[in-house]
Amino acid sequence: MHRRRFLATLGVSGAVGGAGCQSDNSDGTPARTTSGSDRSSRRSTGDTEQPVFRVRDDGFERRTDDGYESLTARGLNIGMAKPGYFPGSAAITRDEYDRWIAQIGAIANVIRTYTIHPPAFYRALAAYNAGTTDPLYLLQGTWVPHDPLVQASDATAISDMVDQEIERTVDVVHGDATLPDRRGHASGTYDADVHDTLLGYLFGIEWPPDIVSTTNEAIGAGSFAGSYLESEGTAFERWLTERLESIVAHETETYGTQSPVGFVNWVTTDPLEHPYEPFVSEDAVSIDPDTVSTTDAFTPGTFAAYHAYPYYPDLLNETPEYVNYVDHRGDANSYAGYLNDLASVTDLPLLIAEFGVPSSRGIAHRDVHGRDQGQHTEQAQGEIVAAMYEDIIKADTAGGIAFTWQNEWFKRTWNLDARSVPGRRPYWSNIQTPEQRFGLLAFDPDNAISLSGNASEWSDAAVSEPATTAGVDPIRQLEELRVSHSAEGLELRLTLQEMSEPVAWEQVNLLLTVGLRGESTPLPLNTDATAVADFVVHLAGESNSRMLVESSYDGFAREFGTPAGLPITDYQNGNAGFVPVREPINLGYTVPPTSEEVPFESVETGQLTYGNGNPSAAAYDSLTDVHVDHSAQTIEVRLPWVLLNVADPSTKQRIASDWEDGLATVAFESVTVGAATYRPDGDGQAQGVSGETNITHAIPGLTSGELNTSEYSWETWSESAYTERLKESYHILEREWG
């Protein structure tokens, strides 16, 4: 039945049963194979074989020689992208699939696809499962393209197009398809039959609520009665049921097999009432999977599938019953509160088909209990994902599928997407953007500096030395500035004549300057100096080091200055001077039941983290920006491209110079860099020294109060060499899940 309700009585239920049965074949092949003659026989007689998988009240079950045994999904999603390619290029190779599927199979029992992958994927999956007694089960998706759906407005207008893709999907799973070249789609000959390890079909995407509403209004009330599935739900729910009917009908009538089916849903369109959700569109309409029922002709059953994250929508941070919910650990846990509420109103087995947090440098949204969208180390990412899976199981669900297997360079996030060139995103690694860093598999640029004190990594770097060193205190004397770059950012290394351990930051602070516009401007921190610089990096020790940007070139202020309450005129003309580098995480809203005003919120993302960036190091911190090597008197720094207003380093495009140009991009040839030291006072400002400025030493030098700079440039690129690396998060899940 279709239900909309407010919060259920929240409680903790027991976990679903253990993992599924192993293959019974001594050679490691799947327990059942289907020959062409078997398939032809079923086609001619109309017989349907007993399903390999089915869903019942407690979740998924797998057929064995002794009957059906329960199977709890512990899975990973996998996309179709890798560095240098959008997903539609279908560029992942067989070798990559072989390697990745084996690594996924070591920690998971389910792999979910969103769409049809290249033939190499299914061949690799079949080969892996043939060689193991612990198969990796496939949850196969059918993608619904967003743009045609939005253009049609009414979902029923694209039914024929979607049903064609559904048929292709079923044919691919059964190794019985040859797909022609189609822009944005995989193609080729599909000859690997993987349906014996098919957990089910999962149809669709996170449905835009306005499309759901428009479809409901256009079609109105009614019912759908198919041969296999039925629904008396809303028009959109009936449309979804018809699509599932198309899957079942094609598989049954063509191959004589049946598999569980479900459609994608998410918090935005769940069947619950959420009065504390501040944005109307996030709780405007419901899709209830329980409105789908089966006929006697379809025995595998249907399941409910949701994408659910702890930080979005805002109702998860504002609903008191969620925020105050106490989980099985005795901790406040809004995510567990939501899961238990959702499970309490869902009759079908409930699969959490997406969950996770990213290990990005940047952050896009807060969670009231710290499971934020970003700004997690790889270790924290793994610990949070493992804990979220526990929450999912404790909510009495059919399991969970973490998002996602590999980092995805092509992705964008709402708070930074306007500052990068859309068509070039796959060619560089935006470490600031959360959506790019959900993966358990990293792609480390081959030429990136590890920020670990490895001098050999700087052997090809550009070198600049000071013009003079006479009379300089050794702790403030700069010996050398090296500059390099990678797909992740601009990299700089300073060498001093002397460096204490720990560094005497109360006696010496350092500045690094970076310029793109070619404009000379007064430097901050009471230095009484100018430089051709748009950015200044102030190095003053842990918790006190940050990037600053000249206010008229502040991308944050240009895009979000008004809601942030900034003095726009002072920023436009540069009178605000150098300001912190920020990014928004919340645009502000009003909580409906209480009328509480939650203001616009941003974070100072220019704050720099000290650590060791070498993944092999015991003290590895994946969020490292600065590494100090006392033995070599060096300080290494990486500055993310997007925080330098570089919209695409691969073709050298940056945000335009003038405020009036907003975030429009222009080409550039090089950047200017410089370095300086000074004696700080108690507030980090430069103390007065004899001479024209308060700078004590500089590279390349000082001329009449002007900090000299050197130019640094690089060749553009269309390919980015990289090395795959399993993140710390993978190894944590390996211990927790493996």
Side-chain angles (χ1 to χ4, degrees), residues 39 170-177 190-194 255:
R39 184 182 297 161
V170 173
D171 293 341
V172 161
V173 167
H174 285 266
D176 189 24
Y190 291 81
D191 51 14
D193 184 350
V194 297
Y255 301 104

Side-chain angles (χ1 to χ4, degrees), residues 34 55 88 119 162 213 267 311 341 379 398 400 451 474 479 501 594 615 737:
T34 304
V55 288
V162 171
S213 296
V267 181
Y311 45 77
D341 198 27
Q379 179 177 351
L451 300 181
E479 297 285 286
E501 185 175 2
T594 64
W737 292 1

